[in-house]
Amino acid sequence: MTRNPTEYIRADILALEPYSSARDEFDGEAAVFLDANENALDPLGKQVHRYPHPGYQELKEAISRWRNVAPERIFVGNGSDEAIDLLIRAACFPGRDEIMVLPPTYGMYAVQARIQGVHVQSVVLTEDFQPDVGAILDASTDATRILFLCSPNNPTGNILALERVEALLRQFRGLVVVDEAYIDFAEEPGWLPRLEEFPNLVVLQTFSKAIGLAGIRLGMAFGHPDVIAVLNKIKFPYNLNRLTVQVALEALEDRTALEDGIRQIVHERERLATALRRIPGVEQVFPSQANFLLVQFADAEAVFRYLQRRGVIVRDRSRLPRCHGCLRITVGTPEENDYLLTLLQEMKHVT
Ligand SMILES: Cc1ncc(COP(=O)(O)O)c(C=O)c1O
């Protein structure tokens, strides 16, 4: 482990002079903005005729109060997918460096890397869906700049064991990204409280899941201020639009509604899991700390096609390592879950 995580950032990115707008360079109070070629008339009266301020300070302060992390440790972007893309861009030279992923896991880490010409190393999770610490450390080289962990993991739904993640944070010589897209559905607190202890830790979270705002595209990376400063330097200047910021600020004011929503999903998840376990042809429902269930069927392909014909789309994960026969089912509304259960109970040929 290093005390200085910028060791894992590309030297040319560290040296890069970022785009700077006139408003970045001006820190007084201005009344007249004639610098950015906007339409000052606001002809449609929508009040979004001005670019947002690229620092998104008000939003970061609201997230800071909510998550108890200092604003200089927070990056905000167009979904956590943007943070994934920028982290790879910041740390990996195309054609030379690599990232490491632990399948079965979220597919975008590998896709974003390949788009950038960055190699992807894979070390499959153990049978109980945990990181194989020894194999990961053995397989990593000086070129392995980022290790992507996902906890709760998509599509398996489990939390990665604390002591294994800690061992990786201490021993992996690169950035360790813990993707906590589903952490609010879990019983564990996640890694934000340990951020200051591990300078190479980056935690990803999102407004798309527990907060229920997938449509506004807002994700966050939390990390060492020097790493976050690099992400801010290389992002598009106006990566979040004003409408997103406005809806996010409103959402954070209604925490009771958010917490109630999470409790309902967790309750439905457990109800759905119990009912699925009683359905013939269901071989295994893996325990989940997320808002979905990984379910192993005797004939997953037949179930998938049967549901699809009746307008119910689930995710076929059966070709991923350790997911033979598995479909991933998102917890829906109580009515949607009942409909799914009814269809599965009526299906005659799942075995
Ligand atoms: C583990 C994981 N990370 C990140 C994302 C993407 O999140 P966002 O909507 O913030 O881009 C997803 C979406 O399904 C996910 O499953």
Side-chain angles (χ1 to χ4, degrees):
M1 191 181 64
T2 177
R3 300 311 303 170
N4 181 8
T6 54
E7 212 178 279
Y8 306 127
I9 302 295
R10 284 165 42 176
D12 58 334
I13 296 284
L14 287 176
L16 178 86
E17 195 66 50
Y19 176 80
S20 172
S21 70
R23 279 172 224 174
D24 282 330
E25 290 154 17
F26 176 77
D27 58 5
E29 281 283 312
V32 180
F33 293 95
L34 304 178
D35 59 313
N37 304 342
E38 297 146 333
N39 186 338
L41 299 180
D42 185 15
L44 299 172
K46 301 281 190 197
Q47 300 192 0
V48 282
H49 57 300
R50 297 290 182 190
Y51 289 108
H53 192 284
Y56 301 108
Q57 202 52 31
E58 189 185 356
L59 178 58
K60 286 181 191 168
E61 278 163 20
I63 294 170
S64 165
R65 287 190 295 277
W66 170 49
R67 289 309 205 197
N68 200 20
V69 173
E72 65 272 18
R73 288 181 171 275
I74 304 173
F75 164 84
V76 285
N78 188 319
S80 25
D81 285 344
E82 182 184 1
I84 295 166
D85 180 63
L86 292 182
L87 282 161
I88 299 171
R89 225 169 265 285
C92 303
F93 270 113
R96 189 194 78 183
D97 293 332
E98 63 181 28
I99 64 159
M100 188 176 288
V101 297
L102 312 182
T105 194
Y106 183 50
M108 282 299 277
Y109 316 131
V111 171
Q112 301 276 24
R114 291 190 183 114
I115 289 169
Q116 295 183 36
V118 169
H119 185 66
V120 180
Q121 268 257 41
S122 298
V123 175
V124 176
L125 292 173
T126 60
E127 250 171 54
D128 54 351
F129 303 138
Q130 291 296 332
D132 184 336
V133 175
I136 291 167
L137 296 175
D138 284 350
S140 58
T141 69
D142 284 350
T144 321
R145 312 284 284 193
I146 311 180
L147 169 64
F148 281 95
L149 307 176
C150 187
S151 183
N153 186 42
N154 174 5
T156 56
N158 63 298
I159 285 271
L160 302 188
L162 190 133
E163 61 287 355
R164 295 200 187 206
V165 176
E166 190 163 332
L168 290 166
L169 281 163
R170 292 190 193 288
Q171 294 176 66
F172 178 77
R173 298 184 57 79
L175 297 177
V176 176
V177 175
V178 182
D179 185 342
E180 295 187 343
Y182 301 98
I183 194 65
D184 292 305
F185 301 110
E187 281 153 18
E188 318 270 327
W191 286 89
L192 286 185
R194 313 271 315 260
L195 217 47
E196 288 180 32
E197 216 178 307
F198 301 107
N200 58 339
L201 169 63
V202 178
V203 174
L204 301 181
Q205 293 188 358
T206 177
F207 275 59
S208 300
K209 311 296 177 184
I211 302 176
L213 292 175
I216 68 168
R217 309 303 301 125
L218 177 57
M220 300 154 282
F222 301 88
H224 189 284
D226 294 349
V227 173
I228 295 303
V230 169
L231 298 183
N232 284 327
K233 183 164 93 164
I234 65 176
K235 74 182 178 71
F236 289 160
Y238 312 114
N239 60 330
L240 293 186
N241 66 70
R242 280 183 181 272
L243 303 176
T244 293
V245 173
Q246 190 186 319
V247 174
L249 287 171
E250 286 165 14
L252 292 182
E253 274 171 20
D254 198 354
R255 309 255 188 97
T256 319
L258 291 179
E259 279 153 24
D260 284 352
I262 292 167
R263 265 193 295 275
Q264 277 179 45
I265 298 272
V266 169
H267 177 266
E268 276 298 297
R269 176 186 76 202
E270 295 311 311
R271 180 177 81 87
L272 191 58
T274 306
L276 283 167
R277 288 192 181 103
R278 297 196 186 113
I279 289 179
V282 169
E283 302 212 315
Q284 204 169 166
V285 180
F286 292 93
S288 172
Q289 298 269 295
N291 66 339
F292 55 81
L293 293 166
L294 188 71
V295 185
Q296 190 172 42
F297 291 89
D299 187 348
E301 206 183 315
V303 176
F304 182 79
R305 278 190 276 108
Y306 165 83
L307 291 175
Q308 206 174 37
R309 279 196 301 277
R310 280 152 188 80
V312 176
I313 319 280
V314 297
R315 191 88 155 104
D316 183 357
R317 300 282 70 188
S318 60
R319 277 171 286 277
L320 298 185
R322 302 214 189 282
C323 291
H324 178 72
C326 287
L327 303 179
R328 191 195 67 199
I329 301 177
T330 305
V331 177
T333 63
E335 296 74 27
E336 288 169 339
N337 301 332
D338 284 342
Y339 182 54
L340 172 85
L341 289 168
T342 309
L343 287 179
L344 289 175
Q345 274 147 3
E346 284 170 357
M347 185 178 176
K348 296 283 178 275
H349 304 291
V350 286
T351 46

